[in-house]
Amino acid sequence: MQATVRAATVSDAAALGALRWRRQTEERGYPGTDRADFIAHFSAWAAAHAATHLPFLAEADGEVIGMAWLMVADRVPHPGHPVRHSGDVQSVYVVPELRDSGVGAALLDAVLCKAAELELEHVTVHSTERAVPFYHRVGFQQDRLWLRWKQA
């Protein structure tokens, strides 16, 4: 199996939405029956957020087998650096039958190449416990200064 990774477009949104649906129903236990409505909503959301949420997809044998998103955010300017951006890796997913085959690493490589091209100051990721070693392998590090607030 030879996988290819490319930047996705708005025309890929339905396939990406189908992957998101699959993850939630097969792995997270979502019992919904509203797949078509979700994919329509997801496609509209992807089009509306195309400037800030950059999708990448992996394909093999004509099938979409994985995705990863780079969310780009503007940062407050400071003297000498008036344009600043950061990124966040979101919704990385590879179909279960192809995990540990290098597809996830290829997706993350594409995301991080884009982050470098955009000169992002830093890129974060909110990971599942299972995926932390994967992110460490591609260069992410724990940060003792990163804090999080969650609504109670």
Side-chain angles (χ1 to χ4, degrees):
M1 183 256 343
Q2 180 64 32
T4 59
V5 173
R6 65 175 173 83
T9 66
V10 173
S11 65
D12 297 308
L16 297 170
L19 283 181
R20 187 79 171 145
W21 178 268
R22 181 176 177 183
R23 179 182 189 187
Q24 295 305 114
T25 57
E26 291 181 7
E27 297 180 23
R28 303 271 168 101
Y30 177 67
T33 58
D34 55 342
R35 184 177 188 275
D37 291 340
F38 172 76
I39 291 174
H41 172 78
F42 187 95
S43 296
W45 179 91
H49 292 84
T52 58
H53 290 71
L54 311 178
F56 295 83
L57 64 79
E59 298 172 297
D61 301 326
E63 298 291 323
V64 176
I65 58 169
M67 68 177 170
W69 294 71
L70 175 62
M71 187 274 302
V72 178
D74 290 335
R75 294 182 49 87
V76 176
H78 67 75
H81 204 157
V83 178
R84 301 172 63 213
H85 304 286
S86 64
D88 188 59
V89 176
Q90 299 180 351
S91 298
V92 177
Y93 177 76
V94 175
V95 294
E97 59 272 20
L98 294 174
R99 290 188 184 144
D100 300 317
S101 68
V103 173
L107 282 163
L108 255 294
D109 182 61
V111 166
L112 296 176
C113 284
K114 185 65 173 181
E117 176 187 319
L118 295 173
E119 299 180 355
L120 302 185
E121 289 184 16
H122 65 266
V123 177
T124 58
V125 65
H126 182 248
S127 179
T128 62
E129 193 169 326
R130 177 190 177 279
V132 168
F134 165 71
Y135 289 110
H136 283 164
R137 283 193 305 274
V138 298
F140 282 84
Q141 301 172 352
Q142 306 294 113
D143 188 326
R144 65 181 179 82
L145 298 179
W146 201 259
L147 306 173
R148 176 176 73 164
W149 176 86
K150 285 180 76 172
Q151 180 112 3

